[in-house]
Amino acid sequence: MPVDRAEFAAALGQYAAGVCLLTVRDGIDDVGTTVSSVMSVSADPPLVAVALTSAGYPAEVLEEVGSCGLTVLAAQHAIVASRFSSAGRPSARHLLESVPWSRAAGSGAIVLDDGVVALDCRLDRLVPAGDHVVALLVVDAVPVLGAGARPLLRLRGRYVDESGVPHARP
């Protein structure tokens, strides 16, 4: 008997996950998306994995460009996470007007200056996985390391702080 999709989503929602912003600079514009399916894969070579909707524009642009920035969002970035998870979003630069950011040296992608950490990455390969693709990313540099920053988490469909308290709506 197949698992009910809503029950499956509710079950996985019980797992607190860090929230990240993946950005790609494609020569014309900057594309970004909020992701919470991120994991460390290997220390040697340094690899991380990110799950992206296979039919989504960010996956298409990442495959074409071959590099990206990945920022682990800090607690104060709940509104940024919401902006980048909305459909029909404008250019990444427009969604970050009041947020300090810079460009990663290798990929040229946007990384947030006050994130928990930011990674400058190259695409190793995309692996089909159901309605998603898993992007295996080689980490070339760590342009931001905010060791004291409080992380933004997603739990039960809401953005929460590290103690599980939901963020107040602005």
Side-chain angles (χ1 to χ4, degrees):
M1 175 181 225
V3 173
D4 177 73
R5 293 178 82 173
E7 183 179 41
F8 177 69
L12 293 183
Q14 301 303 307
Y15 177 70
V19 182
C20 298
L21 175 63
L22 182 136
T23 58
V24 179
R25 183 177 190 182
D26 75 354
I28 298 169
D29 205 353
D30 293 282
V31 175
T33 189
T34 302
V35 292
S36 58
S37 296
V38 177
M39 66 180 253
S40 172
V41 174
S42 170
D44 187 21
L47 290 171
V48 295
V50 177
L52 299 168
T53 303
S54 58
Y57 188 60
E60 178 184 328
V61 174
L62 176 60
E63 184 173 30
E64 182 179 308
V65 173
S67 61
C68 65
L70 186 65
T71 302
V72 178
L73 298 179
Q76 73 268 21
H77 295 134
I79 192 72
V80 171
S82 293
R83 287 176 185 165
F84 280 92
S85 65
S86 301
R89 55 196 169 270
S91 165
R93 291 185 313 277
H94 298 295
L95 295 174
L96 294 170
E97 288 179 8
S98 62
V99 179
W101 58 269
S102 55
R103 294 207 179 268
S107 65
I110 291 173
V111 293
L112 303 191
D113 296 337
D114 57 353
V116 175
V117 67
L119 307 174
D120 193 8
C121 303
R122 272 180 298 117
L123 179 63
D124 181 70
R125 65 185 169 272
L126 291 176
V127 179
D131 58 359
H132 280 64
V133 292
V134 175
L136 289 174
L137 304 171
V138 177
V139 178
D140 289 327
V142 181
V144 174
L145 185 56
R150 294 176 43 233
L152 178 64
L153 302 173
R154 186 153 177 87
L155 175 66
R156 298 182 184 108
R158 301 204 53 196
Y159 295 120
V160 300
D161 66 19
E162 66 272 19
S163 65
V165 175
H167 281 273
R169 299 203 188 273

